[in-house]
Each structure stands twice: as C-alpha cells, then as structure tokens.
Amino acid sequence: MNIILLGPPGAGKGTQAQRLVERHGMKQLSTGDMLRAAVKAQTPVGLKAKAVMEAGQLVSDEIVSALIGDELDALAEGQGAIFDGYPRTAPQAESLEAILASRGKKLDYVIELDVNEDALVERITGRYTCATCGKGYHDTFEKPAVEGTCDKCGGHEFKRRPDDNEETVRTRMAEYRAKTAPILPIYEAQGIVSRVDGMADMDEVTAAIEAILGKR
Ligand SMILES: [Zn+2]
C-alpha cells in the first residue's frame, strides 16, 4: 500500500505519518531526508545530487526520481511507502506513477488532512506553555484551573512560540495550497483522494485514516 499524506503545518501530519509507520510498518519517504541520506551514503545518485547542490543548482526531477526508485527498491516485500513532500508538480506526479508502475506498484491513496483555516489560526495562536515545566495550555481550550498559575508546577511564567501568530499561520496555509494545487486535481480525477478532518482529536484522525486504508 502506497500513499501520499498531505496536510498544512499544524494539521498533525507528522504525528499521523509516525503512527502509520508504527501500525503498518510503512516507510516515510521525505525527499529532503532521502537526499541527505543519499549524499551521506555516497550512493551514485547521492554523488550526482551533491555535485549539483555544490554548484548551487536545484536537484533535478531526474535525480529525485532516481532517489525514490532506490528507496522503493530497498523496501521489504509488501512494505508500503508514505510520500511526504513529493510530488509537488504534475510532471513529478507522472514520474511517480511511472516509477511505481515499473516496479509493479501503484499509488493507492492520497489522504489530505483537511483544516478550517480560521479554526487552525485559533488553535495555533492560542497555545502557550508553562515556562517552568513545559505543560501545554490554550487560551480557549485548555486554561489553567487558576488563571496565571500552572496546574502542574504552580509556576507563574508562560511562554508562546514566536511562530504561533496569525500571519505566519495564514502564510503557511497559502504556501500549502499553492504546493498542492498542481497535484490534487490529478489525483481527484483518479478518484483516490480522501479527506479526513484534521481539526479532530488526533486519535479520531488516526481512526479515520485507518477506516480509509481498511477499505481495500
Ligand atoms: Zn508548570
């Protein structure tokens, strides 16, 4: 079983990918990680990529395809792949199909963690942690029992991450939409896109993903 997992930052994609790896023994194939690993291992593709990057050029689709081919060949019999951050363009989507087909494989599902942008802004901008013990809180969803006092350690200092602001969240959402816009219609046309509510509780999201995978 091979899937593409999509979701904007803050939708919990990393957690869900990790759970798929644990529950199904799948392998997460992130192009960035693959590239770093291939360069480090000095594989033929890695050496080619290294030369290109050292020349200040972008790694070509051809190199990325070769990397993915190598990773697919290294999978155990029956082991599924989760594609992360790839494909991003229509030509890459075509390449992926060809790479899989030449190995008797195919893409089974594209699962998108769907979020409501305004709700995501509220979820992210409202979160903060205790500066002393790190316990997480939220302005709306999880306030300390006594205002200004940490439930766990009694501390009075709290902190917020600088990235947890509305502008950053909305910019990331726009970037995400721009990145997925070229490939979603391709997979929609193939009828393999499923959406799950990324705003739901993490365990509910996992259950929804499992239900989709269980259909085959
Ligand atoms: Zn605390």
Side-chain angles (χ1 to χ4, degrees), residues 10-12 112-116 120 123 196-201 205:
E112 183 174 41
L113 303 179
D114 209 9
V115 298
N116 173 299
L120 185 69
R123 178 153 111 181
V196 301
D197 179 8
M199 302 306 291
D201 176 81
V205 176

Side-chain angles (χ1 to χ4, degrees), residues 129-135 137 149-158:
T129 55
C130 169
T132 311
C133 73
K135 178 169 168 36
Y137 293 98
T149 304
C150 176
D151 293 346
K152 195 173 162 193
C153 75
H156 297 294
E157 268 185 63
F158 299 91

Side-chain angles (χ1 to χ4, degrees), residues 2 72-73 97-108:
N2 302 295
L72 288 174
D73 291 338
E97 201 175 335
I99 296 164
L100 287 166
S102 69
R103 290 165 175 82
K105 295 171 189 266
K106 67 182 174 69
L107 193 61
D108 298 287

Side-chain angles (χ1 to χ4, degrees), residues 54-191:
E54 278 173 356
Q57 289 165 334
L58 281 176
V59 176
S60 66
D61 280 0
E62 196 191 344
I63 290 177
V64 175
S65 297
L67 270 175
I68 290 176
D70 284 354
E71 291 286 343
L72 288 174
D73 291 338
L75 293 180
E77 179 74 31
Q79 187 179 15
I82 306 166
F83 296 97
D84 179 11
Y86 177 92
R88 286 269 159 83
T89 63
Q92 285 180 354
E94 253 174 58
S95 297
L96 179 59
E97 201 175 335
I99 296 164
L100 287 166
S102 69
R103 290 165 175 82
K105 295 171 189 266
K106 67 182 174 69
L107 193 61
D108 298 287
Y109 293 105
V110 174
I111 300 174
E112 183 174 41
L113 303 179
D114 209 9
V115 298
N116 173 299
E117 185 168 331
D118 291 330
L120 185 69
V121 167
E122 185 184 24
R123 178 153 111 181
I124 292 177
T125 61
R127 63 191 184 188
Y128 62 96
T129 55
C130 169
T132 311
C133 73
K135 178 169 168 36
Y137 293 98
H138 193 281
D139 291 329
T140 311
F141 310 120
E142 201 182 352
K143 298 180 189 175
V146 178
E147 200 188 326
T149 304
C150 176
D151 293 346
K152 195 173 162 193
C153 75
H156 297 294
E157 268 185 63
F158 299 91
K159 58 182 182 184
R160 289 171 193 269
R161 285 170 31 186
D163 277 356
D164 288 350
N165 65 73
E166 177 166 359
E167 196 192 341
T168 303
V169 177
R170 293 205 188 272
T171 302
R172 286 190 183 154
M173 248 345 261
E175 284 168 357
Y176 170 73
R177 293 210 167 97
K179 271 179 207 155
T180 53
I183 59 158
L184 270 174
I186 298 170
Y187 296 124
E188 298 270 15
Q190 293 176 12

